[in-house]
Amino acid sequence: MANEAIPNLTAFDEAALGKAFAALEAQAREAAAVLDGEAAVEAFRLEWLGRKQGRLNEVSGRWLKAAPPEAKKALGVRFNALKAVVEDLLDAALGGGPGDATADAALRAEAIDITLPGTRRLTGAEHPIPRTMNEIVAVFAALGYSVGVGPEVETDYYNFESMNFPPEHPARDTQDTLVVANQERKPLRDRLLLRTHTSPVQMRTMEQQPPPVRIVIPGKVHRNDAADATHSPIFHQVEGLCVDTNITFSDLKGTLDYAMKALFGSSVKTRFFPSFFPFTEPSADVQISCIFCGGKGCRKCKDSGWIELLGCGMVDPAVFAFAAEKQPAYDSRKISGFAFGMGVERIAMMKYGISEIGSFFAGDMRFLGQFA
Ligand code: PHE
């Protein structure tokens, strides 16, 4: 083993330092290359890194002390580099006898430690709104309904006029919304707005196909409603439309009664209250027996035993008349139909016992994670 004593340094310029440290490094490499057996490795360690007599200790003691202040920094840098080389050499020797010290160290740095815990990948979960929407759609799909969609930015014609809300009609006030700016030069019917309900897709569907029609329309809608625990200016609906010969109000009742039982459980009862929508006549609000108290009366149903859930009715002949402009087969003397529309958030809130509609849109993982 090379075992020259550490010479005294007299010059401390870059060149002298470079030469002195290179010589030491060469000695260390030479010694490390022939290490053979545990005892030799330990001797190498003591010789170079030993706390008291080690060569590196001596270098730092003698060279560093003798160095003029301006050379101390350069000397320190070289010292640390040499120390790293010696430590690598020792690591390599401990790891598996002679070898290329730096390559061995690199390999070990890359090695996989199979005892470390893995990286947990979070599994995604369907958001409760699309999930509920899909559930509702599936109930009707099983009855032979297909799925339709339409644009969220809708014309006044489809959202209002063809749904029998004439211009200036007060019923429009019940569905105030955002309208696209600077459209005054366009005729009213072509002006764009954010749709207030999914009903315009009734008309778009009828214009595309003659009867019979059985379709459900899931989608996002917008209204100028102040947000509170149960209202949000953006929400979702599932619309339904059934048109054929001899469709009656009892078909409507039977279909919705079946759908509510499929969604909320077979013990749920339904009842129909007279209501008004411009596009259906007669119109009804559907209530279901309170799923929280079974109809006995509780806080959720305001002690009435019933919860109002959706709007529906027989398609108004005026709506068929608009459809007949493109598809003459929508002749209200020959065909009839029913339509319904339900709020998805409201149904999801009931199904999952959620009291704040805002929870759906807040993006809080503690809330959403419950649906995983
Ligand atoms: N479009 C109505 C609403 O948003 C709901 C509805 C749809 C009522 C179809 C009757 C028939 O309030």
Side-chain angles (χ1 to χ4, degrees):
M1 179 183 297
N3 197 3
E4 299 94 311
I6 300 296
N8 279 327
L9 261 195
T10 45
F12 291 90
D13 54 293
E14 277 293 309
L17 288 179
K19 216 172 126 205
F21 276 97
L24 282 178
E25 184 177 331
Q27 287 170 23
R29 287 190 185 280
E30 215 174 287
V34 296
L35 291 178
D36 156 26
E38 258 177 60
V41 173
E42 176 60 9
F44 174 84
R45 188 186 71 76
L46 278 173
E47 152 131 31
W48 285 91
L49 299 171
R51 201 103 41 98
K52 291 207 173 110
Q53 271 104 46
R55 293 162 70 83
L56 286 179
N57 186 49
E58 222 177 304
V59 167
S60 84
R62 287 206 273 131
W63 292 5
L64 206 55
K65 244 182 237 150
E70 66 277 10
K72 281 195 198 293
K73 187 169 173 210
L75 202 149
V77 169
R78 288 178 187 278
F79 176 83
N80 286 334
L82 175 63
K83 189 171 173 206
V85 168
V86 172
E87 282 169 349
D88 273 2
L89 289 168
L90 183 67
D91 278 353
L94 287 171
D100 180 344
T102 21
D104 271 10
L107 268 183
R108 252 173 298 107
E110 280 174 26
I112 295 167
D113 181 350
I114 59 165
T115 65
L116 287 173
T119 316
R120 186 181 294 272
R121 287 182 202 280
L122 296 176
T123 34
E126 202 175 18
H127 187 279
I129 292 305
R131 174 162 154 175
T132 305
M133 206 140 74
N134 288 338
E135 248 176 86
I136 300 167
V137 166
V139 166
F140 288 95
L143 293 176
Y145 284 66
S146 45
V147 178
V149 287
E152 234 174 274
V153 180
E154 190 50 284
T155 62
D156 187 279
Y157 178 75
Y158 285 114
N159 195 80
F160 288 127
E161 197 176 335
S162 71
M163 286 291 109
N164 200 29
F165 294 78
E168 313 294 336
H169 194 281
R172 286 179 174 236
D173 294 348
T174 64
Q175 299 195 7
D176 187 20
T177 185
L178 289 171
V179 299
V180 173
N182 302 323
Q183 303 186 95
E184 289 71 19
R185 273 175 287 114
K186 285 190 196 170
L188 178 65
R189 55 174 283 146
D190 295 335
R191 293 185 199 165
L192 297 171
L193 44 80
L194 298 186
R195 69 177 177 193
T196 59
H197 51 177
T198 39
S199 301
V201 191
Q202 288 188 27
M203 188 55 60
R204 288 181 174 276
T205 306
M206 288 191 280
E207 287 183 350
Q208 294 300 314
Q209 66 177 90
V213 168
R214 281 175 182 78
I215 195 166
V216 274
I217 303 145
K220 189 183 285 176
V221 301
H222 304 255
R223 286 193 197 174
N224 180 14
D225 282 344
D228 64 20
T230 56
H231 293 84
S232 159
I234 301 175
F235 60 104
H236 298 79
Q237 291 186 328
V238 175
E239 185 91 10
L241 175 67
C242 168
V243 184
D244 207 335
T245 49
N246 299 317
I247 298 292
T248 67
F249 199 91
S250 42
D251 295 316
L252 169 61
K253 282 188 80 172
T255 302
L256 289 181
D257 185 72
Y258 166 81
M260 293 303 116
K261 286 180 164 63
L263 286 172
F264 291 106
S266 54
S267 57
V268 152
K269 295 191 194 65
T270 54
R271 66 179 188 180
F272 290 68
F273 266 59
S275 184
F276 174 78
F277 299 101
F279 37 92
T280 46
E281 182 62 33
S283 304
D285 284 330
V286 183
Q287 302 179 348
I288 64 168
S289 54
C290 179
I291 59 166
F292 302 104
C293 64
K296 284 198 277 299
C298 67
R299 223 168 53 95
K300 300 258 189 192
C301 60
K302 299 195 182 95
D303 287 319
S304 72
W306 295 90
I307 291 182
E308 197 172 301
L309 216 51
L310 67 146
C312 65
M314 302 307 291
V315 177
D316 195 296
V319 173
F320 281 141
F322 281 107
E325 290 176 15
K326 294 245 167 79
Q327 293 279 358
Y330 288 97
D331 178 343
S332 57
R333 288 165 303 182
K334 294 187 182 133
I335 48 97
S336 55
F338 63 75
F340 55 86
M342 53 188 104
V344 178
E345 280 76 3
R346 199 171 154 71
I347 291 176
M349 287 168 82
M350 292 194 47
K351 278 182 83 82
Y352 299 114
I354 296 159
S355 49
E356 286 280 337
I357 197 171
S359 319
F360 291 127
F361 310 117
D364 184 336
M365 290 297 283
R366 291 168 301 179
F367 171 78
L368 295 173
Q370 297 176 87
F371 298 90

